Amino acid sequence: MLDSSSGSELICAVFRGFAALDVNIPVVYMNCTNSNYFGNTRDPFAITALGSTFYVITEPRHTIEVYKNMETLSFEEFLVGLMKQTRFPNPEGQALGYFVRDMRHHQLFPGQNLDLLEKAMLNWFNRHLRLPVLQTLCASCTASTSECVIEVPLVKWRSELFTRAGEVAYFGDTLEKIEPNMATTFLEYDDLSWQVLYQYPRIFSSKMHTAMDRIQEIFLRYFEVPQGKRQGDAWFTKAVEDECRALGISEHDMARFMGTVYWVVSTNTRKAAFSLLYHLLCNPSLIPIIREETVPAFEGSTLTDLNYLHNHCPKFEQAWYETLRLSSNSASARVITRDTVIGGRLMRKGSKILVPYRLLHHNEAVFGGELERFRPERFEGRVNALTRGPSWRPFGGGKTMCPGHFVAKRETAIFVAMVLRRFDVAMAGARAVLELDLGKPVLGLADRKESQDLSMRITPRKFED
Ligand code: HEM
């Protein structure tokens, strides 16, 4: 058992700076996977910094205790603090997540609404993953080396594409008509959104706030368009709007809320898609294997059999899980509302509990060796055992588990399978190793370090089948 006075000085030193800002999700300890600081006991340990105590849970069995405990561990208090930052009013102090949770599930859990959302994304990628369209769509970041070869910066490219696809699936084409550069503004915000988690004062985060305000303005204009005249928005978007209007919530506040919807739709999935493509580019021997496996899902260049893609491509699925395992970098957070015992340790009211996913996903006893390497085969024949156990938390757990995990997997699979089917892809220039930015707080996946990118060469494929 450790506290700040024993072996965890390293962590506390980094921690202190953030605690001053009342950090809700510190991520700094997550690099200590194999650290001897904890004697690898996996007992809960406490870190105290400037009067705040955080209990850190790394033993899979203890995470179950945390997620099951709805009585004395609260996610709401954490969320309400966060919502204040985004200035959604929430007058009764009710967590917004609860307010719309049922509607989200209705949209995002398997069923007709999810299928429609997926279809919208499929159609969007189908229309845009073509060389001439890409040359125009991503003109600012695309270099043509010849008429049929382009080079794109991978991080920037997938960010634009994914954000636009998510936008259209949720909000139809209205936002694009109002502001064709909505995705770019969103990305400016998203890249700085860690400042929300650190609760940076506005004076130090004006760029992030300017982008956030701009997104709100665009949504205000979106709500000026009568619902009947908007084409293609998702069931959820309309349902939330109707509910908010019935409750007398102002358009100003609805616009702020829709900004957060736009954010959750794109922020993690774009990183997942990038990481998966990046790992495939770094392990090119996997590309023909996945191509071969996904052939039956296609007719020519058109993806026609989604059921096949999602349920009969085990190697592809293993690559997805390995990508999540390596990129996860957040923590479930709970506020302790009454003294509570977890893993045999008494935890005091008023403190916070953190379940850092990265430590769970870097447990050699569960996932085997070479934990820093991309080795999808560690999931071979063990997908259910590994992804349904308490050591698997890329989407959190319990009542607050991410409702977007089905759509994130489907959207990423559609995008990557289509890219591999339609194009030959390779790194352009010298092979670049991109590092994850594990120091920035995120609600989900880590991104690559700022300003790191690599060029990907895209050449249309010719195929007969
Ligand atoms: C690979 C992609 C994604 C990852 C890794 C991810 C991860 C997460 C994580 C870690 C949480 C916090 C869970 C907790 O604290 O217990 C979360 C919450 C959430 N995610 Fe995701 N997410 C992804 C994609 C999505 C998508 C595509 C959507 C929506 C379309 C979405 C919607 C949400 C919502 C609404 C919450 C809050 C849940 C609540 O409080 O009830 N996520 N996500």
Side-chain angles (χ1 to χ4, degrees), residues 36 60 70 137 158 189 204 210 238 254 273 284 328 333 352 367 376 400 409 429 432 459:
N36 291 329
M70 309 296 291
L137 187 73
R158 57 79 216 206
Y189 165 74
F204 298 125
T210 304
K238 291 189 192 128
M254 278 160 48
S328 265
K352 289 171 185 166
F367 292 98
T400 59
K409 183 169 185 254
T459 317

Side-chain angles (χ1 to χ4, degrees), residues 109-325:
F109 278 31
Q112 201 192 7
N113 285 330
L114 177 61
D115 291 346
L116 288 172
L117 201 64
E118 182 183 23
K119 206 153 181 221
M121 290 165 171
L122 173 69
N123 288 339
W124 197 90
F125 286 129
N126 193 30
R127 279 184 282 121
H128 291 85
L129 287 177
R130 295 173 193 281
L131 203 71
V133 184
L134 290 177
Q135 275 162 326
T136 322
L137 187 73
C138 309
S140 65
C141 64
T142 302
S144 296
T145 52
S146 76
E147 216 171 85
C148 54
V149 182
I150 58 172
E151 283 180 15
V152 291
L154 187 54
V155 176
K156 196 167 179 342
W157 185 71
R158 57 79 216 206
S159 290
E160 290 271 342
L161 289 184
F162 253 76
T163 307
R164 284 166 185 259
E167 175 184 314
V168 168
Y170 260 76
F171 303 103
D173 57 4
T174 313
L175 284 177
E176 201 187 355
K177 284 183 187 151
I178 295 170
E179 171 51 275
N181 292 323
M182 172 76 168
T184 312
T185 306
F186 164 76
L187 291 168
E188 274 167 25
Y189 165 74
D190 196 23
D191 284 342
L192 295 170
S193 60
W194 55 273
Q195 295 176 347
V196 175
L197 297 174
Y198 275 175
Q199 303 192 357
Y200 261 38
R202 196 179 172 104
I203 190 169
F204 298 125
S205 51
S206 57
K207 196 171 170 205
M208 180 270 287
H209 275 99
T210 304
M212 190 197 266
D213 291 346
R214 178 81 191 113
I215 290 169
Q216 186 185 13
E217 278 165 31
I218 296 167
F219 271 112
L220 270 174
R221 289 175 58 201
Y222 172 84
F223 284 123
E224 281 168 12
V225 181
Q227 206 185 80
K229 292 206 167 149
R230 284 181 236 139
Q231 305 263 308
D233 25 8
W235 172 87
F236 174 83
T237 314
K238 291 189 192 128
V240 169
E241 180 184 351
D242 292 345
E243 201 65 24
C244 287
R245 288 194 190 282
L247 288 170
I249 291 176
S250 70
E251 285 191 356
H252 187 272
D253 294 330
M254 278 160 48
R256 185 66 78 184
F257 172 65
M258 280 304 171
T260 66
V261 172
Y262 195 104
W263 181 63
V264 291
V265 168
S266 295
T267 184
N268 279 310
T269 324
R270 73 185 177 99
K271 293 176 201 162
F274 160 75
S275 291
L276 180 49
L277 255 185
Y278 169 71
H279 287 303
L280 294 179
L281 289 173
C282 293
N283 297 274
S285 61
L286 283 171
I287 293 179
I289 296 173
I290 290 176
R291 268 199 192 120
E292 183 65 29
E293 196 178 61
T294 53
V295 162
F298 286 88
E299 280 174 24
S301 66
T302 310
L303 179 52
T304 49
D305 192 342
L306 289 172
N307 177 44
Y308 192 93
L309 180 72
H310 298 320
N311 300 311
H312 299 280
C313 299
K315 300 276 184 215
F316 195 22
E317 192 176 43
Q318 288 158 24
W320 160 252
Y321 286 126
E322 181 69 343
T323 299
L324 289 180
R325 188 189 69 77

Side-chain angles (χ1 to χ4, degrees), residues 75 101 104 170 264 268-269 332 357 394-397 400 402-404 408 445:
F75 182 64
R101 189 168 283 154
R104 284 197 200 281
Y170 260 76
V264 291
N268 279 310
T269 324
S332 289
Y357 310 150
F395 298 100
T400 59
C402 172
L445 306 184

Side-chain angles (χ1 to χ4, degrees), residues 6-8 26 30 46 52 61 67 80 92 99 118 145-146 179 214 273 279 289 297 359 386 393 424 438 449 465:
S6 55
S8 52
M30 293 180 191
S52 291
R61 280 177 296 119
Y67 288 124
V80 167
E92 271 83 50
F99 181 59
E118 182 183 23
T145 52
S146 76
E179 171 51 275
R214 178 81 191 113
H279 287 303
I289 296 173
L359 288 184
L386 290 179
R393 299 286 180 201
D424 279 322
L438 299 174
K449 281 192 174 160
D465 50 311

